[in-house]
Amino acid sequence: MKSLGLIEVPGVTGAIDCLDIMCKSANVQLVTWERKLGGRLVTVIVEGDVSAVTAAVENAVAGGIKKPVAHAVIASPHEETKRLVEISASRIQK
């Protein structure tokens, strides 16, 4: 697993918009997404090189239709972090 970029926004529409911005602005790929509070908060997780993930997250924060609740870039995820993301990703692949 490469670097991880996370962005949490209100609503599915805001999340899709952020994902679109991230994928168009840098060489990143969707890993998984999570809906919480009945879909009121959606977290999108992408992966790629550190510079690409950083650019993607920054562009989504600046250009998304919804203001993010939180965002982060994890340059070198710990094994437990990777495991947690992989568990989430396995749920959407079923």
Side-chain angles (χ1 to χ4, degrees):
M1 183 176 289
K2 302 176 183 178
S3 298
L4 295 175
L6 302 91
I7 189 163
E8 185 170 65
V9 295
V12 174
T13 304
I16 292 171
D17 180 54
C18 285
L19 177 62
D20 186 60
I21 291 168
M22 289 191 286
C23 289
K24 286 179 179 176
S25 65
N27 186 22
V28 297
Q29 296 79 36
L30 174 67
V31 177
T32 189
W33 66 293
E34 292 281 340
R35 291 183 304 151
K36 299 298 177 196
L37 302 173
R40 288 183 293 218
L41 287 179
V42 180
T43 304
V44 176
I45 303 175
V46 296
E47 73 175 354
D49 295 332
V50 177
S51 58
V53 169
T54 302
V57 170
E58 288 175 356
N59 289 333
V61 168
I65 60 173
K66 297 279 189 169
K67 184 178 182 208
V69 175
H71 63 279
V73 174
I74 303 173
S76 181
H78 186 274
E79 290 301 317
E80 289 300 312
T81 305
K82 292 178 189 179
R83 189 173 72 80
L84 184 68
V85 170
E86 288 167 357
I87 290 169
S88 174
S90 70
R91 285 190 289 229
I92 65 171
Q93 294 174 355
K94 291 182 181 180

